[in-house]
Amino acid sequence: MKFFKLALAAAAATAALSGAAMAEEVSLSYNVGIASDYVFRGVSQTQEDPQVFGGVDLGYGIGYAGVWASNVDFGTSDPSIEVDLYGGIKPTVGDATLDFGVLYYGYSEDKGLTPGKFSYTELKAAVSKPVGKVTLGAAVYWSPEWPGDLGSATYAEVNGSVPLSEKFSLSAALGKQSIEDAADYTTWNVGVGYALTEKLALDVRYWDTSEHDFGDIYKSRVAVSLKAAF
């Protein structure tokens, strides 16, 4: 928790120093898509069934906020809908972009904006930096209470992406999910993106985890998604 307090303080100081250069324009963008499977940190959130999703993002200077929704299926009678709320700031230091934010993962059977049976909150600290044609990144997410009363949880990831041509790109990530009162696991993914148009993109991605014994939803899979952004 001390790490996040220091990170947020540093972000606030950076934002104050760059305040004069902040672009005072509000931007609004939308996205909608479909996928063969909703995979989150290597784990299927739809029992390996298709996903339909969409979201709205608001930007103002280095600040951002948004809402995103998707169908889910955890193998029980509930929940069936996930609605995420998030916000934060993205200051820059040289050619590196920082990202400090808060995310709330809400589910249809939980009420209000507080953690419930399924819902939970995470704090995020991330950085990305171009190195030649490659963009490298790292991120840490921390939750004070994981669903199921499993205590605090941390997800740490390193990632990278590189353009292969004008329309093709390659990206990959390696992460570890650690939960206070549950077993940890490692996850990784690698995929190719293709820009069908300026607003429509296709992604084909291989996912896997270190713990296939946790069940079928933790096993290796390939997910295909089609996303429109405008």
Side-chain angles (χ1 to χ4, degrees):
M1 188 62 181
K2 291 182 179 179
F3 165 82
F4 284 98
K5 289 181 178 179
L6 291 173
L8 290 172
T14 303
L17 291 174
S18 60
M22 181 183 294
E24 297 183 359
E25 293 185 2
V26 175
S27 64
L28 195 61
S29 61
Y30 309 86
N31 67 85
V32 62
I34 56 174
S36 60
D37 193 354
Y38 174 12
V39 188
F40 178 71
R41 296 177 185 171
V43 183
S44 174
Q45 307 292 290
T46 52
Q47 298 296 305
E48 304 179 294
D49 287 335
Q51 173 196 26
V52 178
F53 62 88
V56 180
D57 291 284
L58 175 70
Y60 180 79
I62 63 171
Y64 68 89
V67 58
W68 181 88
S70 171
N71 61 296
V72 293
D73 182 355
F74 295 148
T76 63
S77 59
D78 54 15
S80 58
I81 301 294
E82 174 185 340
V83 178
D84 301 341
L85 304 175
Y86 49 87
I89 57 173
K90 289 186 175 182
T92 57
V93 178
D95 60 354
T97 300
L98 307 179
D99 185 350
F100 301 98
V102 180
L103 304 93
Y104 171 78
Y105 303 84
Y107 296 91
S108 53
E109 276 64 36
D110 289 343
K111 307 298 181 182
L113 296 179
T114 56
K117 182 179 179 181
F118 299 99
S119 303
Y120 64 103
T121 301
E122 284 187 329
L123 299 179
K124 173 186 179 181
V127 60
S128 63
K129 176 181 174 62
V131 181
K133 292 184 177 181
V134 178
T135 299
L136 299 177
V140 177
Y141 297 78
W142 179 80
S143 175
E145 185 61 52
W146 197 250
D149 296 325
L150 295 177
S152 62
T154 302
Y155 177 74
E157 177 185 284
V158 292
N159 53 67
S161 63
V162 60
L164 300 177
S165 67
E166 184 179 350
K167 293 190 174 183
F168 280 99
S169 62
L170 174 70
S171 60
L174 172 67
K176 183 174 182 178
Q177 180 72 69
S178 302
I179 305 172
E180 184 177 357
D181 295 326
D184 302 342
Y185 71 92
T186 301
T187 178
W188 55 92
N189 69 80
V190 59
V192 175
Y194 178 71
L196 296 167
T197 69
E198 290 184 356
K199 298 181 179 180
L200 188 63
L202 178 71
D203 185 86
V204 180
R205 190 161 301 276
Y206 171 82
W207 296 83
D208 206 350
T209 77
S210 61
E211 296 295 343
H212 291 184
D213 291 342
F214 287 0
D216 289 343
I217 61 174
Y218 283 81
K219 293 182 178 179
S220 59
R221 69 194 65 250
V222 173
V224 180
S225 64
L226 185 64
K227 179 179 177 181
F230 46 94

